[in-house]
Amino acid sequence: MDINKDDQLIKASELVRTSRVGVHSHIRGLGLTDELDPRPVSNGLVGQLRARKAAGYIVRMVKDGKVTGRAVLLAGQPGTGKTAIAMAIAKEMGEGTPATLMSASEIFSPEMSTAEALTQAIRRSVGIRIKEETEIIEGEVVEVTIERPATTSGAKAGRLTLKTTEMETIYDLGGKMIESIIKENIAAGDIITIDKATGRIAKLGRSFTRARDYDAQGAQTRFIQTPEGELQKRKEVTHMVSLHDIDVINSRQQGFLALFSGDTGEIKQEIRDQINQKVAEWKEEGKAEIVPGILFIDEVHMLTIECFAFLNRALESDNAPIVIMATNRGITKIRGTNELSPHGMPMDLLDRTLIIMTEPYSEADIKQILQIRCEEEDASVTEEALNALAELAKSTSLRYVMQLIMVAKVLCRRRKATEINTEDISRSYRLFSDERRSEEWLNRLSDQFLFHHGTNGQLNLA
Ligand code: ADP
Ligand code: ADP
């Protein structure tokens, strides 16, 4: 009985451990050498060497911080890795650089104008690294004495003795400090820091010298060395915030809680002007550094001519991020006009855009990508099944076949096998339709659907 229970526990915990796997989760970077040469298969990326190398140059440009306001367009057929490369660029930029990934259709919403939505997206992608020097007092508590006043109305008084390896000082405590000492439960032997400006006390841990004093210390107690040198120290702290974060925090109707709800609404231009001025001052005084990041807009042909005009102007400002766009369209109409243009983008924006083309994959590349995806989804496949998947990808699409892996894995598990075989693949292929088959089916049954347009563009009214 007990053993059974344990078994179940183990299974439950294994279930918890299987995390969800996003479609690009296998991508960890661009997979380039220091000389920016692409390794054939690296960081989860396969092939597409020229595009990856070009992307590498863009990352280097942004990281050097010399350029702002450039536009890049990833152009290529669906499923040729445009989003994958954009994700890899964001990964390469590292933690410190803001990167916003969005689809052009997100610009259009009933809550705000397109200009506002674009402005927010742009300001999300520009970081401000704020440097602050603060004075702190850091040491080991030797003694805390808090004197209770004789009458309830009297103020409390107290003293705190702190030491480092070299010195010891007694501080008088005010009412606020006393409260936080009681709240934080500070006692002799604790190592603490006090922020001089705010009076905030933080407990860092307990002194090693006190390790054996108490029996009743929790397992989480952190033991650290008594600080050396002076009690008072200067410490530089840096914060990274985006311009948009600062906008939201300072916009009075919203307050910082809006950052968590994502419900930011429109922000007044005068607030932005004030913030721009403040940031410029900070920059002048050396307190802050502006870090242009990356704004990725997928399906960029969905933008209207007004949006493109707005983007074009925004790119001219000093602190614009690098805008990376992606599209799978050829020569098509610019939305909101009757003009034809490459990629559905106006010429004046195309003109200042670096274009990276992605190419269709060879069968070997597709097989390699599918192999990586199978590993990512923790699915083992037979060589035959992998070949079948790659073959299918040619007649359907890479993205469709990737979905099949997940289905085949479930089918495989249901027949209590560990390795996906061709039968699992073909069963999942029959279960779920790809785009071509569903289109054929719709056309075959066209007269049974209302308002069916047919592939020849003719409308059949049933
Ligand atoms: P696109 O944006 O060009 O339509 P995606 O980037 O969405 O194509 O590619 C489809 C799928 O194939 C995604 O899951 C993507 O992560 C993966 N993929 C595409 N190209 C590569 C590649 N070169 N290496 C690894 N995975 C890739
Ligand atoms: P850290 O870099 O130490 O993790 P954060 O940058 O996350 O700190 O700052 C903590 C919070 O305080 C964030 O929500 C950030 O938006 C806000 N914040 C920090 N500094 C400022 C500032 N100078 N102006 C406005 N908001 C700030």
Side-chain angles (χ1 to χ4, degrees):
M1 274 292 274
D2 271 358
I3 291 165
N4 246 339
K5 240 190 210 161
D6 271 347
D7 247 350
Q8 269 173 356
L9 275 182
I10 288 166
K11 271 182 201 140
S13 65
E14 273 174 353
L15 275 182
V16 174
R17 230 178 293 138
T18 27
S19 52
R20 279 194 273 173
V21 186
V23 286
H24 302 292
S25 60
H26 58 291
I27 290 154
R28 300 189 172 89
L30 282 167
L32 306 175
T33 63
D34 288 343
E35 285 76 43
L36 298 184
D37 286 320
R39 300 191 191 93
V41 181
S42 175
N43 281 337
L45 275 182
V46 178
Q48 212 63 268
L49 303 181
R50 214 149 42 98
R52 278 162 60 198
K53 185 171 179 132
Y57 278 107
I58 289 162
V59 171
R60 174 112 358 141
M61 266 169 21
V62 181
K63 272 195 171 162
D64 288 348
K66 299 275 162 20
V67 296
T68 63
R70 296 298 157 94
V72 178
L73 176 68
L74 288 161
Q77 283 129 293
T80 48
K82 298 183 295 293
T83 320
I85 287 173
M87 296 293 280
I89 292 176
K91 289 266 161 73
E92 292 283 337
M93 297 303 302
E95 291 272 310
T97 318
T100 315
L101 303 170
M102 69 189 305
S103 170
S105 52
E106 288 169 54
I107 301 285
F108 306 99
S109 84
E111 276 116 54
M112 54 180 88
S113 67
T114 52
E116 174 68 18
L118 275 172
T119 307
Q120 292 198 4
I122 289 170
R123 287 174 80 86
R124 263 199 191 108
S125 318
V126 179
I128 308 290
R129 194 177 287 130
I130 299 163
K131 276 190 222 122
E132 267 181 325
E133 268 218 343
T134 51
E135 285 217 356
I136 56 162
I137 299 170
E138 189 171 296
E140 177 183 335
V141 177
V142 181
E143 194 183 9
V144 201
T145 48
I146 294 168
E147 287 146 22
R148 303 252 157 215
T151 61
T152 44
S153 58
K156 282 180 193 157
R159 254 168 323 200
L160 174 69
T161 315
L162 283 180
K163 70 166 187 191
T164 65
T165 48
E166 274 139 58
M167 60 191 289
E168 187 168 316
T169 309
I170 301 174
Y171 296 93
D172 280 326
L173 296 173
K176 247 192 170 162
M177 293 284 281
I178 293 176
E179 260 171 44
S180 51
I181 281 183
I182 295 170
K183 205 168 120 234
E184 297 284 328
N185 213 354
I186 305 287
D190 286 338
I191 306 229
I192 62 170
T193 64
I194 305 171
D195 185 331
K196 267 187 95 175
T198 61
R200 205 170 42 209
I201 300 180
K203 205 193 259 192
L204 301 178
R206 284 194 65 78
S207 167
F208 268 120
T209 55
R210 299 285 189 130
R212 257 160 288 134
D213 281 12
Y214 302 91
D215 302 328
Q217 275 160 350
Q220 318 89 319
T221 311
R222 246 179 86 205
F223 288 104
I224 48 183
Q225 302 287 357
T226 309
E228 292 171 3
E230 303 270 319
L231 272 163
Q232 293 208 24
K233 294 188 181 98
R234 293 188 146 272
K235 200 171 170 186
E236 191 166 88
V237 279
T238 54
H239 305 276
M240 186 72 161
V241 286
S242 76
L243 273 180
H244 177 71
D245 290 344
I246 305 182
D247 288 350
V248 172
I249 291 167
N250 287 284
S251 115
R252 205 168 299 152
Q253 313 108 303
Q254 287 148 359
F256 73 97
L257 283 177
L259 276 181
F260 303 109
S261 66
D263 180 20
T264 51
E266 299 213 355
I267 289 165
K268 288 206 191 82
Q269 188 53 42
E270 53 214 73
I271 290 178
R272 291 217 170 98
D273 289 342
Q274 281 170 17
I275 286 164
N276 289 346
Q277 203 186 336
K278 198 87 215 158
V279 168
E281 275 170 33
W282 288 342
K283 194 179 157 192
E284 198 77 359
E285 292 162 19
K287 279 193 205 155
E289 200 184 322
I290 296 171
V291 187
I294 283 184
L295 170 59
F296 175 68
I297 308 178
D298 203 359
E299 312 283 341
V300 74
H301 53 266
M302 296 278 296
L303 293 184
T304 59
I305 186 80
E306 289 85 10
C307 296
F308 283 123
F310 187 89
L311 259 187
N312 208 1
R313 193 152 37 84
L315 283 171
E316 264 153 33
S317 101
D318 277 348
N319 305 322
I322 305 282
V323 177
I324 301 180
M325 300 168 280
T327 180
N328 52 32
R329 297 302 153 100
I331 295 178
T332 180
K333 266 189 199 158
I334 307 170
R335 265 189 88 182
T337 70
N338 276 321
E339 256 176 81
L340 287 176
S341 184
H343 315 294
M345 281 170 65
M347 282 319 262
D348 51 350
L349 181 57
L350 264 182
D351 233 16
R352 49 153 49 199
T353 299
L354 296 166
I355 301 178
I356 300 177
M357 297 283 198
T358 54
E359 282 148 20
Y361 290 116
S362 68
E363 201 177 325
D365 281 346
I366 288 181
K367 211 173 138 186
Q368 183 71 254
I369 293 173
L370 289 171
Q371 171 90 53
I372 290 175
R373 273 315 289 184
C374 287
E375 280 161 25
E376 182 71 18
E377 296 193 24
D378 226 351
S380 47
V381 281
T382 63
E383 182 66 23
E384 254 183 335
L386 192 64
N387 285 333
L389 277 174
E391 189 65 31
L392 256 184
K394 270 199 302 187
S395 60
T396 61
S397 75
L398 183 56
R399 282 195 222 168
Y400 168 73
V401 174
M402 279 188 176
Q403 316 255 46
L404 286 192
I405 297 174
M406 186 185 67
V407 182
K409 190 179 158 190
V410 175
L411 292 177
C412 165
R413 211 188 289 149
R414 272 194 46 195
R415 61 177 179 91
K416 304 224 160 29
T418 51
E419 221 178 8
I420 295 171
N421 62 19
T422 43
E423 183 54 27
D424 295 321
I425 304 286
S426 79
R427 276 173 66 205
S428 35
Y429 175 73
R430 275 173 313 203
L431 265 175
F432 291 97
S433 190
D434 58 299
E435 196 190 348
R436 191 171 47 83
R437 272 182 295 159
S438 102
E439 189 182 317
E440 275 171 16
W441 181 77
L442 283 172
N443 276 331
R444 201 148 22 93
L445 300 178
S446 63
D447 45 353
Q448 288 166 36
F449 285 92
L450 280 176
F451 307 118
H452 178 83
H453 271 272
T455 24
N456 53 6
Q458 254 173 10
L459 181 67
N460 300 316
L461 287 178

